[in-house]
Amino acid sequence: MNIAKRILFAIVAIIATAGTASAQFAIGPRVGMEVNSMRFNKEIFDSENRAGFTGGVQVEFTVPIINVGFDASVMYVHRNIQGATSNSDSQEIIGVLTDKKFRSRDYIEIPVNLKYKLNLPLIGKVFTPYVFTGPSFAFLCSKKAITDAYKNKSVDIAWNFGLGVQLFSHLQIGASYGLGMTNVVEKVSSYQGTEIDGKNNYWTVTAAWLF
């Protein structure tokens, strides 16, 4: 957790620097979905491939000329745990991670990303690619209890790596991979069974319209 706090402090420092450099500010709605395996074809929309949906508000600061800035969002996320991975062979744990009765969770998620936009001559106002990376903090807002032995953890932390494109200076379409850094499920302290090592790893595709 100390590492996450240091990372967040560094990002806040970048935000403060951007704010004193006449940064460009934008805000708008953002919606999207999480998918288990990323293939850019029609299968991405298949119900069996979708792992959840998300929606909320995004803000963005960009420092002109160097085109470096950050974005931050407050998102509601309905997430299915079927995208989780575990290094355990325990059938008990696999059941907890994948059973339909247990795998649905709701979060308020706050991703904060450092972002770089590639300003292309002539077509920059129409088509601007960008890359981004940063931490994501998801706070559980659905029930914690799963079984008598296991419960959901209150906070899920991941690190995002992504890319996207900005169209006509307003529409941003991005895809990111969230690398889980914390376990999403833990055993009840009085239970003597196997510890769970299961982390959320998801592709997320979103669209944002910024004003």
mmCIF file of all heavy atoms in Angstrom, residues 159-178:
data_model
loop_
_atom_site.group_PDB
_atom_site.id
_atom_site.type_symbol
_atom_site.label_atom_id
_atom_site.label_comp_id
_atom_site.label_asym_id
_atom_site.label_seq_id
_atom_site.Cartn_x
_atom_site.Cartn_y
_atom_site.Cartn_z
ATOM 1 N N TRP A 159 -3.105 -1.644 -11.983
ATOM 2 C CA TRP A 159 -2.303 -0.688 -12.757
ATOM 3 C C TRP A 159 -2.712 -0.816 -14.217
ATOM 4 O O TRP A 159 -2.704 -1.913 -14.780
ATOM 5 C CB TRP A 159 -0.818 -0.933 -12.602
ATOM 6 C CG TRP A 159 -0.010 0.213 -13.151
ATOM 7 C CD1 TRP A 159 0.383 0.388 -14.448
ATOM 8 C CD2 TRP A 159 0.448 1.352 -12.439
ATOM 9 N NE1 TRP A 159 1.065 1.563 -14.591
ATOM 10 C CE2 TRP A 159 1.130 2.187 -13.363
ATOM 11 C CE3 TRP A 159 0.355 1.763 -11.110
ATOM 12 C CZ2 TRP A 159 1.702 3.391 -13.000
ATOM 13 C CZ3 TRP A 159 0.937 2.964 -10.749
ATOM 14 C CH2 TRP A 159 1.605 3.758 -11.694
ATOM 15 N N ASN A 160 -3.075 0.312 -14.825
ATOM 16 C CA ASN A 160 -3.580 0.318 -16.196
ATOM 17 C C ASN A 160 -2.497 0.698 -17.211
ATOM 18 O O ASN A 160 -1.687 1.593 -16.956
ATOM 19 C CB ASN A 160 -4.742 1.309 -16.327
ATOM 20 C CG ASN A 160 -5.947 0.901 -15.515
ATOM 21 O OD1 ASN A 160 -6.270 -0.280 -15.441
ATOM 22 N ND2 ASN A 160 -6.613 1.859 -14.906
ATOM 23 N N PHE A 161 -2.537 0.028 -18.346
ATOM 24 C CA PHE A 161 -1.705 0.357 -19.506
ATOM 25 C C PHE A 161 -2.644 0.457 -20.696
ATOM 26 O O PHE A 161 -3.401 -0.480 -20.968
ATOM 27 C CB PHE A 161 -0.654 -0.726 -19.780
ATOM 28 C CG PHE A 161 0.248 -1.014 -18.618
ATOM 29 C CD1 PHE A 161 -0.105 -1.953 -17.653
ATOM 30 C CD2 PHE A 161 1.458 -0.350 -18.479
ATOM 31 C CE1 PHE A 161 0.726 -2.227 -16.585
ATOM 32 C CE2 PHE A 161 2.305 -0.614 -17.411
ATOM 33 C CZ PHE A 161 1.933 -1.555 -16.463
ATOM 34 N N GLY A 162 -2.624 1.591 -21.398
ATOM 35 C CA GLY A 162 -3.593 1.711 -22.468
ATOM 36 C C GLY A 162 -3.191 2.634 -23.591
ATOM 37 O O GLY A 162 -2.163 3.322 -23.530
ATOM 38 N N LEU A 163 -4.007 2.616 -24.612
ATOM 39 C CA LEU A 163 -3.832 3.499 -25.767
ATOM 40 C C LEU A 163 -5.202 3.838 -26.326
ATOM 41 O O LEU A 163 -6.195 3.187 -26.018
ATOM 42 C CB LEU A 163 -2.949 2.844 -26.831
ATOM 43 C CG LEU A 163 -3.314 1.436 -27.316
ATOM 44 C CD1 LEU A 163 -4.393 1.466 -28.390
ATOM 45 C CD2 LEU A 163 -2.083 0.739 -27.860
ATOM 46 N N GLY A 164 -5.233 4.888 -27.117
ATOM 47 C CA GLY A 164 -6.506 5.291 -27.686
ATOM 48 C C GLY A 164 -6.339 6.345 -28.753
ATOM 49 O O GLY A 164 -5.218 6.663 -29.177
ATOM 50 N N VAL A 165 -7.454 6.905 -29.164
ATOM 51 C CA VAL A 165 -7.437 7.938 -30.185
ATOM 52 C C VAL A 165 -8.491 8.991 -29.840
ATOM 53 O O VAL A 165 -9.579 8.660 -29.354
ATOM 54 C CB VAL A 165 -7.708 7.346 -31.587
ATOM 55 C CG1 VAL A 165 -9.061 6.658 -31.653
ATOM 56 C CG2 VAL A 165 -7.591 8.415 -32.664
ATOM 57 N N GLN A 166 -8.125 10.239 -30.040
ATOM 58 C CA GLN A 166 -9.059 11.346 -29.870
ATOM 59 C C GLN A 166 -9.502 11.822 -31.237
ATOM 60 O O GLN A 166 -8.676 12.125 -32.100
ATOM 61 C CB GLN A 166 -8.396 12.480 -29.091
ATOM 62 C CG GLN A 166 -9.292 13.694 -28.896
ATOM 63 C CD GLN A 166 -8.663 14.721 -27.980
ATOM 64 O OE1 GLN A 166 -8.570 14.526 -26.782
ATOM 65 N NE2 GLN A 166 -8.217 15.835 -28.553
ATOM 66 N N LEU A 167 -10.826 11.916 -31.420
ATOM 67 C CA LEU A 167 -11.396 12.304 -32.704
ATOM 68 C C LEU A 167 -12.103 13.643 -32.579
ATOM 69 O O LEU A 167 -12.902 13.842 -31.652
ATOM 70 C CB LEU A 167 -12.377 11.241 -33.192
ATOM 71 C CG LEU A 167 -11.809 9.812 -33.338
ATOM 72 C CD1 LEU A 167 -12.921 8.841 -33.683
ATOM 73 C CD2 LEU A 167 -10.716 9.775 -34.398
ATOM 74 N N PHE A 168 -11.795 14.556 -33.483
ATOM 75 C CA PHE A 168 -12.445 15.858 -33.560
ATOM 76 C C PHE A 168 -12.371 16.633 -32.239
ATOM 77 O O PHE A 168 -13.288 17.375 -31.889
ATOM 78 C CB PHE A 168 -13.905 15.690 -34.004
ATOM 79 C CG PHE A 168 -14.040 14.952 -35.300
ATOM 80 C CD1 PHE A 168 -14.458 13.631 -35.318
ATOM 81 C CD2 PHE A 168 -13.725 15.576 -36.504
ATOM 82 C CE1 PHE A 168 -14.580 12.941 -36.514
ATOM 83 C CE2 PHE A 168 -13.842 14.891 -37.703
ATOM 84 C CZ PHE A 168 -14.271 13.574 -37.709
ATOM 85 N N SER A 169 -11.276 16.423 -31.508
ATOM 86 C CA SER A 169 -10.965 17.160 -30.279
ATOM 87 C C SER A 169 -11.929 16.900 -29.131
ATOM 88 O O SER A 169 -11.812 17.531 -28.080
ATOM 89 C CB SER A 169 -10.925 18.677 -30.559
ATOM 90 O OG SER A 169 -9.959 18.977 -31.540
ATOM 91 N N HIS A 170 -12.870 15.958 -29.284
ATOM 92 C CA HIS A 170 -13.859 15.721 -28.236
ATOM 93 C C HIS A 170 -14.036 14.246 -27.874
ATOM 94 O O HIS A 170 -14.103 13.904 -26.685
ATOM 95 C CB HIS A 170 -15.218 16.299 -28.647
ATOM 96 C CG HIS A 170 -15.250 17.779 -28.714
ATOM 97 N ND1 HIS A 170 -15.256 18.578 -27.599
ATOM 98 C CD2 HIS A 170 -15.283 18.621 -29.785
ATOM 99 C CE1 HIS A 170 -15.286 19.842 -27.960
ATOM 100 N NE2 HIS A 170 -15.303 19.907 -29.282
ATOM 101 N N LEU A 171 -14.139 13.387 -28.866
ATOM 102 C CA LEU A 171 -14.419 11.971 -28.622
ATOM 103 C C LEU A 171 -13.116 11.197 -28.397
ATOM 104 O O LEU A 171 -12.235 11.208 -29.255
ATOM 105 C CB LEU A 171 -15.172 11.371 -29.811
ATOM 106 C CG LEU A 171 -15.480 9.866 -29.728
ATOM 107 C CD1 LEU A 171 -16.378 9.561 -28.539
ATOM 108 C CD2 LEU A 171 -16.115 9.387 -31.036
ATOM 109 N N GLN A 172 -13.007 10.526 -27.243
ATOM 110 C CA GLN A 172 -11.847 9.698 -26.943
ATOM 111 C C GLN A 172 -12.286 8.245 -26.817
ATOM 112 O O GLN A 172 -13.158 7.923 -26.003
ATOM 113 C CB GLN A 172 -11.166 10.146 -25.655
ATOM 114 C CG GLN A 172 -10.495 11.501 -25.761
ATOM 115 C CD GLN A 172 -9.664 11.838 -24.541
ATOM 116 O OE1 GLN A 172 -9.567 11.064 -23.587
ATOM 117 N NE2 GLN A 172 -9.038 13.006 -24.554
ATOM 118 N N ILE A 173 -11.692 7.392 -27.634
ATOM 119 C CA ILE A 173 -11.952 5.958 -27.589
ATOM 120 C C ILE A 173 -10.659 5.273 -27.186
ATOM 121 O O ILE A 173 -9.636 5.400 -27.864
ATOM 122 C CB ILE A 173 -12.443 5.435 -28.950
ATOM 123 C CG1 ILE A 173 -13.736 6.151 -29.360
ATOM 124 C CG2 ILE A 173 -12.674 3.926 -28.888
ATOM 125 C CD1 ILE A 173 -14.213 5.807 -30.743
ATOM 126 N N GLY A 174 -10.697 4.564 -26.051
ATOM 127 C CA GLY A 174 -9.474 3.966 -25.532
ATOM 128 C C GLY A 174 -9.662 2.531 -25.095
ATOM 129 O O GLY A 174 -10.777 2.086 -24.800
ATOM 130 N N ALA A 175 -8.567 1.810 -25.062
ATOM 131 C CA ALA A 175 -8.538 0.433 -24.583
ATOM 132 C C ALA A 175 -7.367 0.294 -23.615
ATOM 133 O O ALA A 175 -6.275 0.805 -23.876
ATOM 134 C CB ALA A 175 -8.383 -0.551 -25.743
ATOM 135 N N SER A 176 -7.615 -0.371 -22.506
ATOM 136 C CA SER A 176 -6.556 -0.516 -21.509
ATOM 137 C C SER A 176 -6.572 -1.908 -20.910
ATOM 138 O O SER A 176 -7.611 -2.589 -20.896
ATOM 139 C CB SER A 176 -6.711 0.530 -20.393
ATOM 140 O OG SER A 176 -7.920 0.323 -19.688
ATOM 141 N N TYR A 177 -5.419 -2.307 -20.411
ATOM 142 C CA TYR A 177 -5.305 -3.569 -19.682
ATOM 143 C C TYR A 177 -5.027 -3.249 -18.228
ATOM 144 O O TYR A 177 -4.056 -2.544 -17.910
ATOM 145 C CB TYR A 177 -4.184 -4.443 -20.245
ATOM 146 C CG TYR A 177 -4.073 -5.781 -19.554
ATOM 147 C CD1 TYR A 177 -5.008 -6.790 -19.821
ATOM 148 C CD2 TYR A 177 -3.058 -6.047 -18.641
ATOM 149 C CE1 TYR A 177 -4.928 -8.023 -19.193
ATOM 150 C CE2 TYR A 177 -2.976 -7.282 -18.008
ATOM 151 C CZ TYR A 177 -3.910 -8.268 -18.285
ATOM 152 O OH TYR A 177 -3.831 -9.482 -17.658
ATOM 153 N N GLY A 178 -5.889 -3.735 -17.340
ATOM 154 C CA GLY A 178 -5.708 -3.514 -15.913
ATOM 155 C C GLY A 178 -5.027 -4.712 -15.271
ATOM 156 O O GLY A 178 -5.585 -5.812 -15.243
#
